[in-house]
Amino acid sequence: MTEPKIDRSEQRLRELGYKQELKRELTSFTNFSVSFSIVSILTGLTSLYGTALNGGGPAVIIWGWVFVSLMSFSVAASMAEICSSYPTSGGLYYWSSKLAGDNGPFYAWVTGWWNLLGQFGCTAGIDFGLAMLLCSVITLSTDFIFERWHTVLIYFAILIIHGLINTYAVRLISILNTISVWVHIGGVVIILVTLLVKVDNKASASFVFTGFINNTGWSSSVYVVLLGLLQSQFTMTGYDASAHMTEETKNADVAGPVGILMAVGVSFLAGLGYLLALTFGIQDIDRVLGTSTGSPIAQIFLDAVGETGALLLLIILLVAQFFCGNASVTANSRMIYAFSRDGAMPGSKYFHQIHPTLKSPVYGIWLSCFISGLLGLLYLADYVAFAAITSIATIGLYISYGIPTFLRITYSKNSFEPGPISLGAFSIINGWIACIWICIITVLFVLPGSSPVKAANMNYTVVIVVLAALYIFGYWHFSARHWFKGPVSNIDLEDNENDFVAGSLPKNEKEEMQELGGGKLEIVEGEKTELA
């Protein structure tokens, strides 16, 4: 009888309680490219450049990026270590379940829902930023003035396009993400060289590295500096995508964590070059801040290379942001698929399904687009809603990053079994650094960004975060605690056809695996077989 063969990554997935359903065809580079595309320095840094320029100025933009990148790398390192031990699409909420012992279901529930909120906000922030930049490009070339509802309609169209790509072109996603890496890196190089060569009247080093601008209305310079970190921190989100893609990645317990770390490291270097090029390229700060194009970066390009050159540079940003939004929908849908697979979401029986011919979580893809679309409606009520959307993404994602990190250094301090990628003795101190930083930014980004605080400039993030918390903890207390048991295996063992708790199979003990399909399970390094 023929013995079914699976590679090491599929074996580890079975040890964690799951059978292989998604195609495992991503390489280490394509896994990294998904996270790098979502971090997308040409998206986050572009969308909030004007916000940071008004709330802190060049010094906060440059040094804030350096500091936030350092803190983000601390968070990413803790996540990478855990990912190496638990390479599943559930990612953070699965980790929380395994690290919290008897309290696993509660922490898995809370982590999963905060991560979903952050991912919805991340997709919304990326695609809405793309819509706003596209409006600026059209205004630059036609003088057409967009109303807010125009921008929202364009945003909806972008979400639909990304939904269609993820639904019908799943085989192209890895190719698109690979292209995205080179678009981002090549785009930064082109912009850097163009501005350095074409701008004769460059900003001074003093202006770039020490210049401070406060147009927020707040008198406290420290408070303004802290608010200005939103640009950098929103950009440094989404690198958990490498964890959500591990069930589609070869050599997942190494490629996943390396993808997380590389996404932060490469983004820092590319982002620093991009920010330096933009800020040295400012020739008239008043014209940039008061630009009629709606985008300070568009004005910087206009002043440097004229209308035609500016349009060409802006097209690079548009393409990069388009790739970024597409990758965000991909990662978001995988999280929905994994969370629903464990019965945690209303409608789970639909959202965890993989289409038999398209091989994609179709319902999860369109749920991602729909919820992200609802968040975009905030813009109809408030011009500052975009900052609120980005704050939602940052807070939701980083809370979900922090919970398993906290559990790793407390509940599982002595019992955690590291995978191939480990921080060793540095794990605990790094975990505390990461958790403290996450607490700081969680509080910081619900605070108002402008003074005096009015209905028109209020930071509505706090409203959404409070409503989300009421839903998450209320649903748990009144309902979910009675039935949600955490990640549940989808493997039926021959001696027990009922689901068992995922992760209950002993690690590195393949002899305890039951026979599957009538044949003995054989582990083969590097060989891939799709199982029904």
Side-chain angles (χ1 to χ4, degrees), residues 164-183:
L164 291 172
I165 292 173
N166 276 273
T167 300
Y168 295 105
V170 65
R171 293 181 179 274
L172 295 178
I173 288 175
S174 63
I175 298 174
L176 293 175
N177 287 326
T178 299
I179 295 172
S180 175
V181 172
W182 300 114
V183 168

Side-chain angles (χ1 to χ4, degrees), residues 455-519:
N457 64 5
M458 176 182 171
N459 185 352
Y460 288 98
T461 305
V462 65
V463 177
I464 296 176
V465 168
V466 169
L467 291 176
L470 289 174
Y471 172 82
I472 293 168
F473 293 105
Y475 195 178
W476 172 262
H477 179 75
F478 291 107
S479 178
R481 66 191 177 98
H482 300 296
W483 51 264
F484 182 69
K485 304 303 179 184
V488 176
S489 173
N490 61 6
I491 295 178
D492 292 328
L493 298 184
E494 288 182 349
D495 61 347
N496 182 11
E497 294 183 355
N498 296 319
D499 284 337
F500 58 91
V501 176
S504 60
L505 289 177
K507 186 176 180 180
N508 297 325
E509 295 184 16
K510 70 177 181 181
E511 67 273 15
E512 296 189 18
M513 294 290 288
Q514 302 295 315
E515 293 185 355
L516 298 172

Side-chain angles (χ1 to χ4, degrees), residues 16-167:
L16 296 175
Y18 296 121
K19 63 185 178 181
Q20 187 71 43
E21 293 183 304
L22 297 165
K23 286 183 177 293
R24 191 178 289 275
E25 56 187 11
L26 300 184
T27 64
S28 296
F29 183 81
T30 49
N31 178 283
F32 148 74
S33 70
V34 176
S35 284
F36 182 72
S37 295
I38 296 176
V39 173
S40 183
I41 50 98
L42 293 181
T43 297
L45 296 180
T46 298
S47 299
L48 292 174
Y49 187 81
T51 301
L53 200 58
N54 277 292
V60 173
I61 289 174
I62 302 301
W63 296 114
W65 177 248
V66 174
F67 177 72
V68 166
S69 295
L70 180 63
M71 292 295 100
S72 297
F73 196 83
S74 173
V75 177
S78 290
M79 291 170 57
E81 181 182 51
I82 303 172
C83 178
S84 184
S85 183
Y86 303 117
T88 75
S89 290
L92 301 136
Y93 87 89
Y94 183 96
W95 306 346
S96 292
S97 173
K98 297 301 121 184
L99 294 169
D102 293 339
N103 295 312
F106 170 73
Y107 283 105
W109 175 268
V110 174
T111 303
W113 277 108
W114 281 117
N115 188 252
L116 269 181
L117 175 66
Q119 289 207 22
F120 289 139
C122 190
T123 299
I126 292 165
D127 277 1
F128 207 92
L130 173 57
M132 293 173 70
L133 183 62
L134 181 58
C135 290
S136 295
V137 171
I138 295 173
T139 297
L140 182 63
S141 57
T142 66
D143 293 327
F144 181 80
I145 304 299
F146 284 86
E147 301 292 338
R148 277 184 283 183
W149 65 271
H150 293 143
T151 306
V152 172
L153 287 180
I154 292 174
Y155 167 62
F156 288 162
I158 293 169
L159 282 173
I160 291 171
I161 293 171
H162 284 152
L164 291 172
I165 292 173
N166 276 273
T167 300

Side-chain angles (χ1 to χ4, degrees), residues 113 116-125 155-156 159 329 332 336 345-346 351 363-378 389 392 464 471:
W113 277 108
L116 269 181
L117 175 66
Q119 289 207 22
F120 289 139
C122 190
T123 299
Y155 167 62
F156 288 162
L159 282 173
V329 172
N332 199 345
I336 293 170
M345 295 180 62
F351 296 129
Y363 290 114
I365 290 167
W366 290 103
L367 178 65
S368 168
C369 294
F370 177 73
I371 300 297
S372 299
L374 292 181
L375 287 175
L377 292 175
L378 289 171
I389 294 171
I392 292 165
I464 296 176
Y471 172 82

Side-chain angles (χ1 to χ4, degrees), residues 161-213:
I161 293 171
H162 284 152
L164 291 172
I165 292 173
N166 276 273
T167 300
Y168 295 105
V170 65
R171 293 181 179 274
L172 295 178
I173 288 175
S174 63
I175 298 174
L176 293 175
N177 287 326
T178 299
I179 295 172
S180 175
V181 172
W182 300 114
V183 168
H184 279 81
I185 294 176
V188 169
V189 171
I190 291 171
I191 292 170
L192 179 64
V193 172
T194 300
L195 293 180
L196 288 177
V197 171
K198 290 294 185 178
V199 178
D200 295 325
N201 185 29
K202 296 181 182 64
S204 67
S206 175
F207 173 79
V208 171
F209 294 110
T210 65
F212 181 77
I213 298 173

